[in-house]
Amino acid sequence: ATEQRYIRELRELGIEPADAMEWMNRGGALTDKYYNTIKHAGLQFTNEIVMNPRATVRPMWHSNPHAHTVAQLKGFQTVFGNTVVKRAYQDISRLWKGNAEEGAIAAAKYASAASLMIYAAMLGNELRERIKYGPGGNPKFKNEPAVETLVRAIDRTGFTGIAQWGLDATLAHRFGGSGVGAIMGPAYSQIDEMLEAAGMYGDAGSTNKVNRELVNAVPLLNVHKPSRDAMVDWLNQ
């Protein structure tokens, strides 16, 4: 069964085992024409396990310079969905496509990997909130239900692929942002928040919101709440 699985996986990469053995028997020279097949198979295999959002593995519009404002930072999750998640579905689907044993093995394998990734994402979220807000973490999540904590962790893993855009837009309000800003990317989101702050300044005559958004636009400073608040207080003086 193991041998048949390896043969099938090689053929999925475009390598016919008999041809590959002939190439090896000829000495496996890099100048041999068959080496091009080996290179293409290696590239395909790499694309499936290493996330590199280049033009060959992401939607064409992601490479359009006119769409970069929207596509920025979305490449990884899109490629993750198009490769890893897609491959996981194909492997698990063998459960109902005539190869239940391999499908069951694949399901167990991916379930284990997904559990570890979600757990790591939960730890990462907790560590990030403690660094940003101190030992107490983000007060917004103090009484958060376990289901919402799990959803935030899944959000970090990228399992939802391109559907992540919708999830980001749905959860944006929890972080003080807007759904449109989450979809359009950080550049639009920053402009949106600055415009909102300017509008509040015009209505209330207070520069606090404007100063806070100015500080939030500064890299590194905006991730450490005590330093960020101290700078806002200094600007408000």
Side-chain angles (χ1 to χ4, degrees), residues 60-110:
M60 290 183 63
W61 69 270
H62 274 231
S63 301
N64 186 330
H66 300 293
H68 279 182
T69 302
V70 178
Q72 59 180 325
L73 303 183
K74 305 291 185 181
F76 174 85
Q77 60 202 42
T78 303
V79 173
F80 189 88
N82 288 346
T83 55
V84 176
V85 176
K86 181 180 179 180
R87 180 57 185 264
Y89 173 77
Q90 291 174 342
D91 289 345
I92 295 173
S93 67
R94 294 193 177 95
L95 275 168
W96 56 86
K97 290 184 178 179
N99 198 332
E101 181 180 355
E102 284 193 15
I105 293 173
K109 178 179 67 175
Y110 286 115

Side-chain angles (χ1 to χ4, degrees), residues 111-150:
S112 299
S115 298
L116 288 174
M117 289 178 67
I118 292 173
Y119 182 66
M122 292 176 70
L123 290 178
N125 283 341
E126 182 68 20
L127 179 60
R128 182 184 61 177
E129 299 303 333
R130 287 179 179 270
I131 291 174
K132 190 171 182 178
Y133 293 95
N138 190 336
K140 292 182 179 179
F141 305 137
K142 185 175 181 179
N143 298 315
E144 181 181 53
V147 173
E148 293 187 7
T149 301
L150 180 62

